[in-house]
Amino acid sequence: MDTWSLLSICVLLGLTTRWAVSLNSYSGAGKPPMFGDYEAQRHWQEITYNLPVHEWYFNTTDNNLNYWGLDYPPLTAYHSLLCGHVASLINPDWVELHTSQGFESSAHKLFMRATVLIADLLMYVPAVVLYCFYLSEGSNRKKVCLVLCILLYPGLILIDYGHFQYNSISLGLALWGVLGLGLGWDMLGSLAFVLAVNYKQMELYHSLPFFCYLLGKCFKQGMGLCINGNFIAVTVLVTFTLCWLPFLTDPGQVLQVLHRLFPVGRGLFEDKVANTWCSLNVLIKIKTILSTDTQLYLSLAATLLAALPSSIKLLTKPTLWQFKLALVNSSLAFFLFSFQVHEKSILLPALPVCLLLGDLPLPAVWFLQASTFSMLPLFLKDGLFVPYAVTSSAFVFYSVYLLSALEHSSEEELQLKSLSLLPFLSQSPGQFYLSVAAMAGLSFMSVALAPPARLPDLFPLLVSVFSFLHFLGLLLYFNVVQIAEPPSPRRKNPKKTE
Amino acid sequence: KNSFGLCCHEITHIFHSTDFEVHRNWLAITHSLPVSKWYHESTSEWTLDYPPLFAWFEYGLSHVAQHFDKKMLVVQNLGYASPATVLFQRLSVIATDVVFIYAVRECCRSVREEKGSKDLLVRPYFILAALLLWNYGLLIVDHIHFQYNGFLCGILLLSVARHLQGRHLEGAFLFAVLLNLKHIYLYIAPAYGIFLLRSYCFTKDNTDGSVRWSSLSLVRLIALGSIVISVCALSFGPFIAMGQLPQVLSRLFPFKRGLCHAYWAPNIWALYNVVDKALSVLGLRLKLLANLPKASMTGGLVQEFQHSVLPSVSPSATLICTLVSILPAVLSIWRCPRGARGFLRCLVVCALCSFMFGWHVHEKAILMAILPLSVLAVESREDAGIFLMLATTGHYSLFPLLFTATEMPTKVLLILLFTLYSFTSLKKLFRGFLLNTLEVTYLLGLIAVEIICEVVYPLLPWKQTLPFVTLLAKSVYCSLGVSYSFIRLYLSILRPTDKPKEL
């Protein structure tokens, strides 16, 4: 069948799934006094629409920072301002200062969901389509399948359209950045990435690979001829300045914004998240043993150590393949070892792993499935179990079916046989299915059974530890793939015999 | 491929329409009351108006329902809709859809394919499976609007598949079951009856194709008759024994409802009503008429109305129209039977006739014609063209079923998906354009109608005085398309073929 019609069908399918999920409940629905992320976004529209810029990040009588104060960079604020303007055109009650707190109605929900869909359509979906068609290899049929699989990734759909956030904008911008760099348009790529960082500061997880890749390319071209590097630096600086322009008039403003963006006073972790510190906490109570400062330094050191190998490798060998792997490794390292990580941050490593679906299908699908599973406690809190169950089973089913159907034509492409170094990750499908079955079992238990009275957090803990083990294992795997670089039987490089 | 379809059916929404309450009420009636009261019960306005076999089906379901939420089974709980109730109802639709999936599989196996088809996506098997499983109409009506049409259409398709495979007794049995589940299928009973009589009971034909009276096989006739009678007896038996048959029949055929549903199904009567209204307005303007009855037929209530200018239409008139329209088609398969495929064509024609001329037709009834037509569409080029016209128009006419703003993206996305897929896959299968320019223009006009109705009209000042113009416009526009497909299909059945095919 015609590629364009197949592509349209896949995009339509992705959109239909998204809208179907959006019909469900959102975070904090009907739960005063604080509600949830949905109310936070609505509140930001209210704040940015009604208050002048220099009051957005400050604690004033009109702006109580304890009630969902702005803690994302300026671009989010500008986006909220835009949405606030549209909201006030439709129904001013939605963004009325003070009185609209906790406002909930079906019309408002429709409006909010529509803003997410529009942002997705403008930012994320085109980036995915362009990536699959220009930066991935294979037949047209395979590219369309890739589009479908990436668009069906449940984690992003459930968080953006269920829990309610705008991750598709920041992830979309980051993907445009990857696109730019991959196609050789370094300046545009860096511009896009800077915008992404200015939308959500968590995108800094991806910053190390971007930096190392560009620097590595610079070195390759010879130290003296690094005019490009200068241009990039200028672009970055100019973009930052433009984004922060309203705040640059007063150093106090800048400091306050930074203070809001990086809350170092909040501790090593909150809630149950599938990273090292939380899992370590099960055995040794780190939070109580070490002081906050020590915790900060410890996590900083661990993160940098974990991200170091892949970054160095990327510096020495700045290719697109290395870049993608470095994105995965770096963001995963940050997720596992960093300070004050939220479970939603797993979306940051998940994006580059989506990009690897075409090259390393089994580990990629495994990771994506584990990432969705790790957010299960959040979904349960939001009442999103049914969409979670449906989308993750659909995702596993479709990706395994579609990608294995394409395998038949190119079997050697996917068996990285030299991975006998790590027998426990030997890519046998049996282990994958076992793991998926365990995840399914745990999911049902979390929803059907009540935990024993002595261990009220048993199920979230099990979920996060289980996911953590997967993430750790996959971090090691992706690092090995990047660094050891087994004879990757890709079509461009002929098989090297060692 | 089958689980492919199952996944799409798992999209559950948290919506319910009045049909949801209807079925909940029936669960309550069959569970809480003794059998003798089922057809007398009228606490709720949604009385039991399907045949007894469906009542038994609801009874069986109610036994599972009590584990979900006992309160839904209390008859007095009108409008009860706890999350557990909604979940149970949705799951029951999904569970019974298994029948539909099995039926689709059987249909696909009976489809003729040319040898040497390489690509999975272009094989008729796959296309038919996708067209049926992802049928927009069924998705919307069953899963969003809520009915058990998947289950019922599954039985219909299974019966059709059995006939295509030559297993006629099973097909007849399935149809008898279907009739006793929903009596709307009475309209296509003539197709079954004549086909089975002609092609199954008379085992041989004369050389010129006409019937050989001597070859009547009494064994087959008796077998058929006994199957049908025993199924009906099983279903109606208890009620006949209790002497409740008149009551049951009065519930099954409520002719108190008006000629048209609240939203006019795009059939002949929609056009008739519009012409009548236009003539009456014209008459008033030209001072030919004195006055008009004030009430409007497009008011959202279902009542009986008189036409102003043209003669009023009574239930018996519609019945006669329908029978008259079925007659030529049925006679043609008597005169020159074309095997199981001729029967299928006649079935679709009968379904369409009942849609076009019936009394109080619901627009959902178009599905009864579209689904069997899909089977024909993957085999013949001309049928594919008719299918594209009918399916697109029919599906669009279902739009007013979901009227809230939240459902708008869903229905638009889904109809785009289905239409895009059906057009491209059938075009690839038959290698070429299937519709001529006029038809394509008409279909593009559907988009224009939608934009005008949803976007332009609300901004106009007439919205207050004539609020139902949009529904009217959609209904009339669609009835043009449906009538056109109807005529083309009818012509295809009347066209003489070279020789009668074998069973």
Side-chain angles (χ1 to χ4, degrees):
Chain A
M1 244 167 86
D2 203 14
T3 313
W4 280 114
S5 42
L6 264 179
L7 180 65
S8 325
I9 290 181
C10 289
V11 170
L12 282 174
L13 271 174
L15 290 177
T16 316
T17 323
R18 281 160 162 72
W19 190 259
V21 170
S22 81
L23 295 170
N24 288 287
S25 153
Y26 47 80
S27 125
K31 291 193 191 129
M34 283 300 275
F35 301 95
D37 270 340
Y38 176 88
E39 167 64 15
Q41 298 286 347
R42 191 215 54 76
H43 181 69
W44 295 344
Q45 289 171 12
E46 172 195 337
I47 293 288
T48 52
Y49 179 69
N50 288 304
L51 299 178
V53 178
H54 57 265
E55 281 186 37
W56 288 354
Y57 286 91
F58 281 89
N59 207 354
T60 64
T61 42
D62 285 334
N63 181 10
N64 178 12
L65 286 184
N66 281 330
Y67 184 78
W68 300 115
L70 252 180
D71 50 5
Y72 284 135
L75 263 188
T76 302
Y78 302 146
H79 180 236
S80 301
L81 181 63
L82 181 65
C83 293
H85 274 288
V86 177
S88 67
L89 281 176
I90 304 178
N91 183 349
D93 286 337
W94 292 347
V95 284
E96 201 56 53
L97 194 58
H98 297 310
T99 52
S100 65
Q101 269 186 23
F103 189 95
E104 286 179 296
S105 80
S106 49
H108 186 233
K109 180 179 172 191
L110 183 61
F111 166 71
M112 298 289 270
R113 296 290 193 206
T115 55
V116 181
L117 186 68
I118 292 173
D120 209 355
L121 259 177
L122 290 176
M123 279 296 168
Y124 186 67
V125 174
V128 171
V129 171
L130 287 175
Y131 171 80
C132 288
F133 272 87
Y134 289 107
L135 285 185
S136 69
E137 293 167 8
S139 65
N140 273 345
R141 189 61 69 79
K142 176 167 179 179
K143 294 182 183 179
V144 174
C145 288
L146 267 182
V147 170
L148 184 63
C149 288
I150 298 183
L151 284 181
L152 280 183
Y153 169 54
L156 187 58
I157 300 181
L158 288 166
I159 291 289
D160 267 15
Y161 289 86
H163 181 79
F164 203 88
Q165 277 206 337
Y166 288 100
N167 288 305
S168 51
I169 299 186
S170 58
L171 290 178
L173 282 169
L175 192 51
W176 282 105
V178 173
L179 253 177
L181 260 56
L183 291 172
W185 305 332
D186 292 342
M187 276 213 296
L188 289 176
S190 351
L191 174 70
F193 183 66
V194 169
L195 287 176
V197 169
N198 275 310
Y199 193 87
K200 279 207 174 169
Q201 68 274 30
M202 273 87 76
E203 281 292 330
L204 283 172
Y205 286 19
H206 289 152
S207 55
L208 211 51
F210 270 86
F211 180 70
C212 293
Y213 179 76
L214 289 169
L215 201 60
K217 267 180 79 173
C218 221
F219 287 157
K220 273 228 144 119
Q221 288 169 352
M223 291 285 270
L225 295 166
C226 206
I227 315 175
N228 234 6
N230 291 338
F231 276 142
I232 295 174
V234 167
T235 318
V236 168
L237 280 170
V238 168
T239 322
F240 260 105
T241 321
L242 280 175
C243 289
W244 288 64
L245 204 55
F247 304 98
L248 288 177
T249 48
D250 176 20
Q253 285 275 332
V254 176
L255 278 176
Q256 172 67 0
V257 177
L258 286 175
H259 182 71
R260 291 293 303 167
L261 295 184
F262 301 104
V264 288
R266 276 167 82 172
L268 201 50
F269 60 85
E270 268 176 31
D271 243 349
K272 302 277 170 291
V273 71
N275 78 352
T276 331
W277 309 125
C278 183
S279 311
L280 212 53
N281 209 38
V282 177
L283 303 168
I284 334 166
K285 297 281 172 232
I286 318 181
K287 265 182 122 167
T288 43
I289 297 180
L290 303 170
S291 71
T292 319
D293 276 343
T294 329
Q295 291 172 10
L296 189 56
Y297 293 136
L298 177 63
S299 73
L300 191 64
T303 315
L304 285 177
L305 259 178
L308 208 58
S310 85
S311 311
I312 295 182
K313 176 78 188 194
L314 180 60
L315 254 178
T316 56
K317 196 171 180 192
T319 63
L320 185 61
W321 173 240
Q322 288 285 328
F323 180 49
K324 289 198 288 199
L325 283 168
L327 278 172
V328 176
N329 286 321
S330 164
S331 43
L332 196 49
F334 270 80
F335 177 80
L336 287 176
F337 296 103
S338 181
F339 199 78
Q340 186 63 216
V341 172
H342 289 270
E343 68 257 288
K344 297 191 282 278
S345 311
I346 195 66
L347 292 176
L348 288 157
L351 175 71
V353 172
C354 282
L355 305 181
L356 291 176
L357 266 173
D359 311 298
L360 297 166
L362 190 62
V365 173
W366 207 340
F367 179 88
L368 293 173
Q369 195 58 22
S371 63
T372 319
F373 175 68
S374 70
M375 294 191 278
L376 178 63
L378 186 66
F379 299 143
L380 286 179
K381 238 193 289 181
D382 292 339
L384 290 170
F385 181 72
V386 172
Y388 158 76
V390 172
T391 45
S392 10
S393 12
F395 177 73
V396 166
F397 179 76
Y398 279 118
S399 45
V400 168
Y401 176 72
L402 286 174
L403 295 173
S404 62
L406 296 162
E407 254 178 59
H408 288 311
S409 48
S410 56
E411 247 183 39
E412 327 82 69
E413 295 239 355
L414 306 158
Q415 304 301 323
L416 295 178
K417 294 198 178 63
S418 69
L419 261 292
S420 56
L421 310 164
L422 298 166
F424 61 92
L425 280 180
S426 61
Q427 286 195 60
S428 60
Q431 290 174 348
F432 169 68
Y433 289 124
L434 204 63
S435 156
V436 170
M439 288 189 224
L442 256 179
S443 313
F444 277 111
M445 283 204 295
S446 303
V447 99
L449 304 175
R454 277 186 309 126
L455 306 162
D457 280 331
L458 179 66
F459 290 124
L461 201 64
L462 278 176
V463 166
S464 57
V465 171
F466 190 77
S467 322
F468 165 68
L469 292 171
H470 278 74
F471 295 151
L472 196 61
L474 283 162
L475 176 69
L476 288 169
Y477 172 78
F478 283 122
N479 266 306
V480 168
V481 171
Q482 183 182 5
I483 296 172
E485 223 174 348
S488 159
R490 296 161 61 75
R491 287 208 201 107
K492 293 223 171 105
N493 313 330
K495 273 195 191 157
K496 302 182 196 122
T497 48
E498 301 292 331
Chain B
K1 282 147 237 160
N2 301 323
S3 22
F4 181 66
L6 190 65
C7 275
C8 79
H9 280 242
E10 286 172 31
I11 302 176
T12 52
H13 298 250
I14 323 287
F15 288 119
H16 39 271
S17 63
T18 49
D19 276 340
F20 178 87
E21 166 61 18
V22 170
H23 287 276
R24 185 213 65 76
N25 188 37
W26 294 352
L27 278 176
I29 292 181
T30 53
H31 189 86
S32 332
L33 299 175
V35 177
S36 53
K37 290 246 173 39
W38 285 359
Y39 282 94
H40 285 280
E41 171 59 39
S42 53
T43 317
S44 158
E45 49 174 329
W46 311 115
T47 56
L48 196 55
D49 56 1
Y50 278 13
L53 204 56
F54 197 83
W56 291 113
F57 167 69
E58 291 272 3
Y59 180 64
L61 272 184
S62 66
H63 281 290
V64 182
Q66 61 186 356
H67 297 293
F68 276 76
D69 187 346
K70 279 213 153 46
K71 293 220 211 78
M72 74 168 112
L73 299 172
V74 177
V75 180
Q76 275 70 28
N77 280 348
L78 299 177
Y80 185 73
S82 73
T85 315
V86 177
L87 186 64
F88 168 72
Q89 298 269 47
R90 298 270 171 222
L91 284 179
S92 65
V93 175
I94 293 175
T96 50
D97 266 352
V98 171
V99 175
F100 182 67
I101 294 177
Y102 176 67
V104 168
R105 210 178 74 118
E106 290 296 311
C107 270
C108 294
R109 273 179 24 187
S110 336
V111 155
R112 279 195 297 247
E113 298 182 358
E114 47 179 65
K115 293 288 171 233
S117 318
K118 2 57 203 175
D119 194 6
L120 172 68
L121 286 182
V122 194
R123 286 180 57 202
Y125 181 108
F126 181 81
I127 297 180
L128 182 61
L131 286 178
L132 285 173
L133 288 172
W134 285 64
N135 186 296
Y136 168 83
L138 214 50
L139 271 178
I140 294 285
V141 169
D142 259 19
H143 294 276
I144 303 178
H145 193 75
F146 197 87
Q147 275 209 337
Y148 287 100
N149 281 309
F151 170 55
L152 296 168
C153 287
I155 301 186
L156 175 66
L157 284 175
L158 194 57
S159 147
V160 164
R162 290 286 175 253
H163 283 299
L164 286 175
Q165 291 164 352
R167 287 145 77 167
H168 298 282
L169 282 178
E170 286 180 40
F173 168 71
L174 284 165
F175 184 69
V177 166
L178 185 64
L179 258 190
N180 281 296
L181 280 172
K182 194 167 177 180
H183 51 291
I184 200 172
Y185 293 102
L186 262 178
Y187 283 123
I188 52 178
Y192 269 89
I194 301 294
F195 167 68
L196 284 172
L197 198 58
R198 174 72 176 83
S199 308
Y200 185 65
C201 297
F202 291 99
T203 41
K204 285 201 260 297
D205 295 333
N206 287 331
T207 35
D208 63 347
S210 65
V211 65
R212 189 185 289 189
W213 294 98
S214 55
S215 70
L216 174 65
S217 154
L218 270 179
V219 173
R220 288 187 170 187
L221 186 61
I222 294 179
L224 269 181
S226 50
I227 288 179
V228 174
I229 294 182
S230 53
V231 172
C232 292
L234 200 66
S235 141
F236 278 91
F239 297 94
I240 300 182
M242 288 188 282
Q244 285 191 358
L245 195 59
Q247 171 71 359
V248 173
L249 287 177
S250 77
R251 283 288 172 89
L252 289 184
F253 300 100
F255 280 112
K256 265 292 157 200
R257 300 193 194 152
L259 173 64
C260 289
H261 196 63
Y263 160 64
W264 300 348
N267 62 6
I268 282 288
W269 306 125
L271 290 173
Y272 192 83
N273 287 345
V274 157
V275 169
D276 177 68
K277 258 240 159 351
L279 285 178
S280 64
V281 166
L282 210 63
L284 259 189
R285 288 281 171 82
L286 300 176
K287 302 284 194 285
L288 293 173
L289 294 175
N291 51 12
L292 276 178
K294 262 309 221 166
S296 149
M297 257 179 278
T298 49
L301 303 170
V302 177
Q303 294 170 26
E304 289 186 66
F305 285 106
Q306 309 293 329
H307 287 92
S308 332
V309 175
L310 301 173
S312 280
V313 182
S314 68
S316 24
T318 61
L319 192 60
I320 294 175
C321 281
T322 320
L323 287 177
V324 162
S325 58
I326 292 183
L327 222 52
V330 155
L331 276 177
S332 83
I333 59 164
W334 175 269
R335 210 103 44 66
C336 51
R338 277 169 273 179
R341 276 165 180 78
F343 151 68
L344 185 54
R345 196 177 297 271
C346 182
L347 193 151
V348 177
V349 168
C350 288
L352 261 183
C353 285
S354 73
F355 181 81
M356 294 296 292
F357 297 104
W359 178 264
H360 198 82
V361 170
H362 203 289
E363 62 273 2
K364 292 181 248 175
I366 196 73
L367 288 178
M368 194 164 57
I370 293 181
L371 288 171
L373 187 56
S374 322
V375 181
L376 287 176
V378 296
E379 285 185 349
S380 129
R381 195 194 176 83
E382 198 199 333
D383 289 334
I386 303 177
F387 170 76
L388 286 177
M389 258 313 256
L390 186 63
T392 317
T393 321
H395 287 160
Y396 177 70
S397 73
L398 291 175
F399 256 36
L401 269 183
L402 306 178
F403 44 83
T404 66
T406 329
E407 292 152 324
M408 169 73 95
T410 321
K411 65 185 185 190
V412 168
L413 285 172
L414 284 176
I415 202 175
L416 278 176
L417 257 176
F418 183 81
T419 319
L420 189 61
Y421 179 74
S422 54
F423 271 79
T424 46
S425 60
L426 286 176
K427 187 173 104 160
K428 195 77 193 289
L429 181 65
F430 292 111
R431 283 178 280 268
F433 284 107
L434 298 165
L435 299 176
N436 61 34
T437 336
L438 188 63
E439 291 163 336
V440 173
T441 326
Y442 172 80
L443 289 178
L444 287 175
L446 282 175
I447 304 180
V449 168
E450 176 66 7
I451 295 180
I452 294 178
C453 288
E454 295 299 326
V455 178
V456 176
Y457 193 72
L459 301 172
L460 296 177
W462 299 327
K463 183 163 168 61
Q464 303 305 323
T465 48
L466 300 168
F468 295 102
V469 165
T470 53
L471 288 179
L472 200 142
K474 284 186 197 173
S475 165
V476 168
Y477 194 80
C478 290
S479 45
L480 292 173
V482 173
S483 319
Y484 172 75
S485 316
F486 171 63
I487 295 174
R488 271 190 70 182
L489 204 55
Y490 218 107
L491 288 177
S492 77
I493 206 177
L494 291 178
R495 208 171 299 134
T497 51
D498 343 75
K499 61 171 169 31
K501 298 213 175 62
E502 289 127 34
L503 255 178

